[in-house]
Amino acid sequence: MSFSGLHGRELALKMLQALPRVSHANLKPNPNFKPKNKRGRGQHGGDKHGAGNKGSGQRQNHMRLGYETGNWPFYLRFGFEPYYKGHHLKRQYPPLTLHKLQMLIDTNRIDTSKPIDLTALVNTGVVDCIPERKHYGLNLTDAGANVFKGKVNIEVQWASEPAIAAIERNGGTITTTYYDLSSVQCAVDPVRWFSRAEPIPRRKLPLADCLEYYSNPENRGYLADPEKISQARLALAQKYGYELPRIEDDPDYEMLIQRKDPRQLFYGLEPGWVVNLKDKLIFKPKEDYLLEYYRG
């Protein structure tokens, strides 16, 4: 198309008629123009998220102050301590206070005319002993010793000296015994154990690290010499300044001196017996090798 002889307005109109239609294909930005990249929203927004764009600010993916060095902040980091290794395998003894024991007696949850052991304490529904948490029994503490007035024959797995004094001051007796984990599982839930038709396990002897404790008469250990325990009872009474009651003259003397065999778990039941709750029967082993195993 020739544009000769045209000027001004006529020339502009003729040029527009000859040019192609305006579209995105033939548009160009202005000189020195830098376009901005379009950023998506949410997880498609790149690495420059803001608090108002549903980015890492709202999801709290930004590392908090002090955590730049790893999973622990610098002020909580500690060096290697080998004594902490294997702490989850150590035996645990949940505390049982004398105050709670007196409460169990006052509310008739415990029969003081019979010996009290781990099974009797757990069956109250107030005391917990969970074998899955490495609980190997109960620790009798002296909290509430000034209000404890019960006369009991109690068996626990650990006890403090003031707690022993509080029991014996009222004319009672106490014994510390060792329970292995299988024995604890049977003692805390005997109904479940008997329902599986499994024989009553024999208690294992204490491990090397606690053998001295259960052989010490001052701890009233069940492996200690009875004569030395009598001397330790008198020495403890002199130390704490109370008159030791004579259990020989007590009308409940037979109950107060009842003790289990070191291998026995329940009063009146021997290791190896199978209890049938449905038919109310007890099956006893007769083979010599079984008798030797459970009594040895």
Side-chain angles (χ1 to χ4, degrees):
M1 178 179 293
S2 176
F3 299 104
S4 59
L6 298 178
H7 302 281
R9 181 177 180 183
E10 292 79 4
L11 179 60
L13 290 175
K14 289 293 183 180
M15 290 181 63
L16 286 176
Q17 291 177 0
L19 292 174
R21 181 168 299 194
V22 178
S23 64
H24 287 285
N26 51 28
L27 286 179
K28 293 183 179 181
N30 295 328
N32 300 325
F33 172 76
K34 294 182 179 180
K36 296 182 179 181
N37 295 328
K38 184 178 181 181
R39 179 172 54 84
R41 303 182 62 185
Q43 61 181 340
H44 308 288
D47 58 350
K48 297 181 180 180
H49 294 186
N53 296 326
K54 284 189 176 181
S56 60
Q58 287 189 353
R59 291 196 296 265
Q60 296 183 356
N61 285 341
H62 286 303
M63 192 172 295
R64 288 185 291 168
L65 182 62
Y67 282 77
E68 296 86 352
T69 55
N71 295 330
W72 286 86
F74 64 89
Y75 54 85
L76 290 182
R77 286 180 173 270
F78 49 85
F80 176 68
E81 300 179 11
Y83 73 88
Y84 192 72
K85 183 178 180 181
H87 70 283
H88 59 287
L89 302 177
K90 294 183 178 180
R91 294 185 301 273
Q92 305 294 328
Y93 296 92
L96 171 64
T97 63
L98 289 172
H99 187 276
K100 180 177 287 188
L101 181 60
Q102 184 64 47
M103 182 271 293
L104 297 176
I105 297 174
D106 295 340
T107 55
N108 296 324
R109 287 183 169 92
I110 289 181
D111 187 3
T112 57
S113 63
K114 299 178 180 179
I116 302 171
D117 59 356
L118 179 62
T119 303
L121 292 169
V122 174
N123 284 343
T124 60
V126 179
V127 181
D128 291 330
C129 184
I130 306 173
E132 291 76 12
R133 299 180 182 178
K134 301 298 180 182
H135 292 176
Y136 279 72
L138 300 175
N139 176 20
L140 186 63
T141 63
D142 56 299
N146 56 335
V147 298
F148 184 76
K149 304 298 180 183
K151 183 179 68 174
V152 296
N153 175 11
I154 188 170
E155 176 192 273
V156 292
Q157 286 62 59
W158 211 270
S160 62
E161 186 181 81
I164 296 175
I167 295 291
E168 297 179 347
R169 181 184 59 201
N170 297 323
T173 56
I174 181 173
T175 308
T176 55
T177 62
Y178 174 79
Y179 276 49
D180 58 278
L181 204 57
S182 298
S183 300
V184 174
Q185 292 174 350
C186 182
V188 299
D189 196 354
V191 175
R192 181 182 178 184
W193 189 276
F194 297 155
S195 300
R196 295 186 296 185
E198 295 189 11
I200 300 174
R202 64 170 187 172
R203 280 195 296 166
K204 297 180 180 179
L205 294 177
L207 300 177
D209 59 347
C210 59
L211 180 60
E212 182 179 356
Y213 180 86
Y214 292 109
S215 302
N216 192 343
E218 296 181 357
N219 302 325
R220 306 303 185 263
Y222 73 120
L223 299 179
D225 188 354
E227 294 184 1
K228 294 183 178 180
I229 291 180
S230 300
Q231 298 173 3
R233 284 168 53 89
L234 181 59
L236 188 63
Q238 295 174 351
K239 179 179 180 179
Y240 282 86
Y242 61 87
E243 184 178 356
L244 184 66
R246 287 180 54 85
I247 61 174
E248 295 83 1
D249 302 333
D250 197 290
D252 299 326
Y253 174 72
E254 295 296 331
M255 184 273 294
L256 293 174
I257 63 172
Q258 285 191 39
R259 297 291 184 272
K260 296 178 184 177
D261 185 81
R263 296 292 193 177
Q264 190 178 3
L265 188 57
F266 299 107
Y267 287 102
L269 297 175
E270 297 293 335
W273 292 5
V274 178
V275 179
N276 188 340
L277 297 178
K278 182 178 180 180
D279 299 331
K280 297 182 180 180
L281 297 175
I282 295 178
F283 300 94
K284 303 178 182 180
K286 295 183 179 180
E287 299 293 337
D288 294 337
Y289 72 94
L290 292 176
L291 296 175
E292 182 180 0
Y293 172 78
Y294 285 108
R295 294 177 181 176

